[in-house]
Amino acid sequence: MRWKLLLLMLLLSCVLLCLWLNNLSNSLSSWRIPQHWQWSQGKGTLAHTVGPLRIVFDKEQSLEELAGLNPYVEFGGHYKPENCIPLQRIAIIIPFRNRDHHLRHWLYYLHPILRRQQGDYGIYVIEQAGESTFNRAKLLNVGFAEASKENDYDCFIFSDVDIIPENDKNLYRCSLNPRHLACAMDKFGYKLPYTGYFGGVVAFTKEQYLKINGFSNNYWGWGTEDDDTYKRVTMSGMSVERPDRNIGRTKMIRHQRDKGNEVNEKNYAIYNRMKFTRKQDGYISLKYSLIKIEKSQLYTKVTVDIGKPPS
């Protein structure tokens, strides 16, 4: 009699265990992965993407023609998909001066790519006024500040105007760590020139950007600001995420170095001191004068006076 009772209790325990496991499975299936994990694991909105792209620069469209090709873009360069709820609000920041030809090529390719990626995005072209030495990194800080005034963005893509992705599965999104989207550039044989290279196109969440105090404001002319940013990331306890090299292929629009953006040997001394200055030099010390904001169909241009390099 006792063994029958034990057998009945064992069967009842098995039934209860099966019910508990079933409930646990249902709970896990309904649990949503946090948005940053989705991007870090490569799970974005890929249904509309096509993969490798043929990127050529043999024909240049006018801004009017480009607007006609992109009727879904709202005035000011904004787009939000209608058939889904995007997980991130994305500001794309482009440092700029005298690159109208490059900008038209960039707009021709990037608006369709971003739409296929189903991003909720706005495009901001940050133009340095005057003929003084160019300061790319400071313009990126300006872009963060001005875009944040217009919308509550939580992801910021900082992109050079002459870099075009060759694969639309290279998602312009943010992740758990800062992302380097231009990790396989044709200029470098589609591989990293060195481990700490962090140039071309990078992505930060708002929190990540503020954690590193943005970009340095002190690099006038060409060189070293990308290495400074990489150091800010690693010294802040984060790492750099990169897509697979086949996904992260990008093409550069070839051009001569701009006047006012020559190599500046003084930048190397600034870089050597950055571990002591990074908490004071950056977004919190940003100063500039807003000259004008111009909205067109495909982008918002912000023209600013960022001063001159120290003599």
Side-chain angles (χ1 to χ4, degrees), residues 209-221:
Y209 173 89
L210 294 175
K211 186 174 184 179
I212 69 167
N213 190 22
F215 305 92
S216 169
N217 297 309
N218 292 331
Y219 290 99
W220 298 89

Side-chain angles (χ1 to χ4, degrees), residues 1-10:
M1 189 69 178
R2 181 177 296 177
W3 68 269
K4 290 183 178 180
L5 181 61
L6 290 174
L7 181 60
L8 180 62
M9 293 177 64
L10 180 62

Side-chain angles (χ1 to χ4, degrees), residues 235 270-281:
M235 294 176 72
I270 295 171
Y271 175 73
N272 289 334
R273 297 194 302 269
M274 64 82 57
K275 64 181 178 180
F276 305 109
T277 61
R278 63 188 176 91
K279 292 186 179 181
Q280 294 77 41
D281 168 30

Side-chain angles (χ1 to χ4, degrees), residues 124-129 139 142-143 145-147 149 286-294 300-307:
Y124 298 85
V125 176
I126 313 301
E127 182 172 47
Q128 179 176 335
L139 291 174
V142 172
E146 290 297 322
K149 293 177 184 177
L286 176 65
K287 295 181 180 179
Y288 65 96
S289 297
L290 177 64
I291 295 177
K292 59 182 176 180
I293 298 177
E294 302 170 281
T300 295
K301 179 187 279 190
V302 180
T303 304
V304 292
D305 179 359
I306 59 172

Side-chain angles (χ1 to χ4, degrees), residues 136-147:
R136 172 181 176 271
K138 191 171 184 178
L139 291 174
L140 297 179
N141 283 335
V142 172
F144 177 89
E146 290 297 322

Side-chain angles (χ1 to χ4, degrees), residues 58-182:
D58 54 357
K59 184 180 180 181
E60 185 178 321
Q61 308 278 347
S62 68
L63 289 178
E64 292 74 17
E65 290 173 322
L66 290 170
L69 292 172
N70 298 280
Y72 47 83
V73 178
E74 297 178 4
F75 191 71
H78 299 276
Y79 173 76
K80 185 174 183 178
E82 297 180 352
N83 57 350
C84 68
I85 301 176
L87 295 174
Q88 299 179 5
R89 295 176 299 277
I90 307 159
I92 301 176
I93 312 297
I94 301 174
F96 186 83
R97 188 170 65 182
N98 300 329
R99 292 286 196 89
D100 295 287
H101 298 294
H102 294 172
L103 179 60
R104 286 192 282 271
H105 285 303
W106 191 95
L107 294 168
Y108 174 76
Y109 284 109
L110 264 296
H111 268 304
I113 289 173
L114 295 168
R115 180 177 62 86
R116 291 197 297 272
Q117 292 182 358
Q118 295 290 279
D120 177 355
Y121 68 86
I123 293 175
Y124 298 85
V125 176
I126 313 301
E127 182 172 47
Q128 179 176 335
E131 299 299 325
S132 182
T133 305
F134 195 66
N135 190 325
R136 172 181 176 271
K138 191 171 184 178
L139 291 174
L140 297 179
N141 283 335
V142 172
F144 177 89
E146 290 297 322
S148 297
K149 293 177 184 177
E150 187 171 86
N151 202 341
D152 186 21
Y153 292 108
D154 43 34
C155 176
F156 294 81
I157 311 291
F158 301 95
S159 174
D160 288 343
V161 73
D162 55 3
I163 304 296
I164 311 296
E166 295 188 44
N167 191 315
D168 64 0
K169 295 186 185 298
N170 186 4
L171 292 177
Y172 274 45
R173 299 288 194 277
C174 292
S175 186
L176 281 178
N177 287 290
R179 301 187 67 216
H180 185 202
L181 302 178

